[in-house]
Coordinates of all heavy atoms in Angstrom, one line a residue:
V1 N -1.1 20.9 14.4 CA -1.8 20.9 13.1 C -2.5 19.5 12.8 O -3.6 19.5 12.3 CB -0.7 21.2 11.9 CG1 -1.3 20.8 10.6 CG2 -0.3 22.6 12.0
I2 N -1.8 18.4 13.2 CA -2.4 17.1 12.9 C -3.2 16.6 14.0 O -4.0 15.6 13.9 CB -1.2 16.1 12.6 CG1 -0.3 16.0 13.7 CG2 -0.5 16.5 11.3 CD1 0.7 14.9 13.5
T3 N -3.2 17.2 15.2 CA -4.0 16.7 16.3 C -5.2 17.6 16.6 O -6.1 17.2 17.4 CB -3.2 16.6 17.6 OG1 -2.6 17.8 17.9 CG2 -2.1 15.5 17.4
A4 N -5.3 18.8 16.0 CA -6.4 19.7 16.3 C -7.7 19.2 15.7 O -7.7 18.7 14.6 CB -6.1 21.1 15.7
R5 N -8.7 19.2 16.5 CA -10.0 18.7 16.0 C -10.7 19.7 15.0 O -11.4 19.2 14.1 CB -11.0 18.4 17.1 CG -10.5 17.3 18.0 CD -11.5 17.0 19.1 NE -11.1 15.9 19.9 CZ -11.3 14.6 19.7 NH1 -12.0 14.3 18.6 NH2 -10.9 13.7 20.5
N6 N -10.5 20.9 15.2 CA -11.2 22.0 14.4 C -10.2 22.3 13.2 O -9.1 22.6 13.4 CB -11.4 23.2 15.2 CG -12.3 24.2 14.5 OD1 -12.3 24.2 13.2 ND2 -12.9 25.1 15.2
P7 N -10.7 22.2 11.9 CA -9.8 22.5 10.8 C -9.3 23.9 10.7 O -8.2 24.1 10.3 CB -10.7 22.2 9.6 CG -12.0 21.6 10.0 CD -12.0 21.7 11.5
V8 N -10.1 24.9 11.2 CA -9.7 26.2 11.3 C -8.5 26.4 12.2 O -7.5 27.1 11.9 CB -10.8 27.2 11.6 CG1 -10.4 28.6 11.7 CG2 -11.9 27.1 10.6
H9 N -8.6 25.8 13.4 CA -7.5 25.8 14.3 C -6.3 25.1 13.8 O -5.1 25.6 14.0 CB -7.9 25.1 15.6 CG -9.0 25.8 16.4 ND1 -9.7 25.2 17.4 CD2 -9.5 27.1 16.3 CE1 -10.6 26.1 17.9 NE2 -10.5 27.2 17.2
A10 N -6.5 24.0 13.0 CA -5.3 23.4 12.4 C -4.6 24.3 11.4 O -3.4 24.3 11.3 CB -5.7 22.1 11.7
A11 N -5.4 25.0 10.6 CA -4.8 25.9 9.6 C -4.1 27.1 10.3 O -3.0 27.5 9.9 CB -6.0 26.5 8.8
L12 N -4.6 27.5 11.5 CA -3.9 28.6 12.2 C -2.6 28.1 12.8 O -1.6 28.8 12.9 CB -4.9 29.2 13.3 CG -6.1 30.0 12.7 CD1 -7.0 30.4 13.8 CD2 -5.6 31.2 11.9
Y13 N -2.6 26.9 13.3 CA -1.4 26.3 13.8 C -0.4 26.1 12.6 O 0.8 26.3 12.9 CB -1.6 24.9 14.5 CG -2.1 25.0 15.9 CD1 -3.4 24.6 16.2 CD2 -1.3 25.7 16.9 CE1 -3.8 24.7 17.5 CE2 -1.8 25.7 18.2 CZ -3.0 25.3 18.5 OH -3.5 25.4 19.8
L14 N -0.9 25.8 11.5 CA 0.0 25.8 10.3 C 0.7 27.1 10.0 O 1.8 27.2 9.6 CB -0.7 25.2 9.1 CG 0.1 24.8 7.9 CD1 1.2 23.8 8.2 CD2 -0.8 24.2 6.8
V15 N -0.1 28.2 10.2 CA 0.4 29.5 10.0 C 1.6 29.8 11.0 O 2.6 30.3 10.7 CB -0.7 30.6 10.1 CG1 -0.1 32.0 10.2 CG2 -1.6 30.5 9.0
L16 N 1.4 29.3 12.2 CA 2.4 29.5 13.3 C 3.6 28.7 12.9 O 4.8 29.1 13.1 CB 1.9 29.0 14.6 CG 2.8 29.0 15.8 CD1 3.4 30.4 16.1 CD2 2.2 28.4 17.0
A17 N 3.4 27.5 12.3 CA 4.6 26.7 11.9 C 5.3 27.3 10.8 O 6.6 27.3 10.8 CB 4.0 25.3 11.5
F18 N 4.6 27.9 9.9 CA 5.3 28.6 8.8 C 6.1 29.8 9.3 O 7.2 30.1 8.9 CB 4.3 29.1 7.7 CG 3.8 28.1 6.8 CD1 2.5 28.1 6.3 CD2 4.5 26.9 6.5 CE1 2.0 27.1 5.5 CE2 4.1 25.9 5.7 CZ 2.8 26.0 5.2
F19 N 5.5 30.6 10.3 CA 6.3 31.7 10.8 C 7.5 31.2 11.6 O 8.6 31.8 11.5 CB 5.4 32.5 11.8 CG 4.7 33.6 11.1 CD1 3.3 33.6 10.9 CD2 5.3 34.7 10.6 CE1 2.6 34.6 10.3 CE2 4.6 35.7 9.9 CZ 3.3 35.7 9.8
S20 N 7.4 30.1 12.3 CA 8.6 29.6 13.0 C 9.6 29.1 12.0 O 10.8 29.3 12.2 CB 8.1 28.4 13.9 OG 7.2 28.9 14.8
A21 N 9.2 28.5 11.0 CA 10.2 28.0 10.0 C 10.8 29.3 9.3 O 12.1 29.2 9.0 CB 9.5 27.2 8.9
A22 N 10.1 30.3 9.1 CA 10.7 31.5 8.5 C 11.7 32.1 9.5 O 12.7 32.6 9.0 CB 9.6 32.6 8.2
A23 N 11.4 32.1 10.7 CA 12.4 32.6 11.8 C 13.6 31.8 11.7 O 14.8 32.3 11.8 CB 11.7 32.6 13.1
I24 N 13.5 30.4 11.5 CA 14.7 29.6 11.4 C 15.5 29.9 10.2 O 16.7 30.0 10.2 CB 14.3 28.1 11.5 CG1 13.8 27.8 12.9 CG2 15.5 27.2 11.1 CD1 13.2 26.4 13.0
W25 N 14.8 30.2 9.1 CA 15.5 30.6 7.9 C 16.3 31.9 8.1 O 17.4 32.1 7.6 CB 14.5 30.8 6.7 CG 14.1 29.6 6.0 CD1 12.9 29.0 6.0 CD2 15.0 28.7 5.3 NE1 12.9 27.8 5.2 CE2 14.2 27.6 4.8 CE3 16.3 28.7 4.9 CZ2 14.7 26.6 4.0 CZ3 16.8 27.6 4.2 CH2 16.0 26.6 3.7
L26 N 15.6 32.8 8.8 CA 16.3 34.1 9.1 C 17.6 33.9 10.0 O 18.6 34.5 9.8 CB 15.4 35.1 9.9 CG 14.4 35.8 9.0 CD1 13.4 36.6 9.9 CD2 15.0 36.7 8.0
L27 N 17.5 32.9 10.9 CA 18.7 32.6 11.8 C 19.8 32.0 10.9 O 21.0 32.2 11.2 CB 18.3 31.7 12.9 CG 17.4 32.2 14.0 CD1 17.1 31.1 15.0 CD2 18.2 33.3 14.7

């Protein structure tokens, strides 16, 4: 998220981070 040059790619990586955090909450 912080190293991606394209802002759209950074936002999509942030979506992946949110999904991973949600999976940890489920665990």
Side-chain angles (χ1 to χ4, degrees):
V1 167
I2 59 173
T3 59
R5 293 185 180 271
N6 190 338
V8 176
H9 293 165
L12 293 176
Y13 278 117
L14 190 56
V15 169
L16 176 62
F18 285 149
F19 271 110
S20 301
I24 291 173
W25 280 115
L26 283 174
L27 289 175

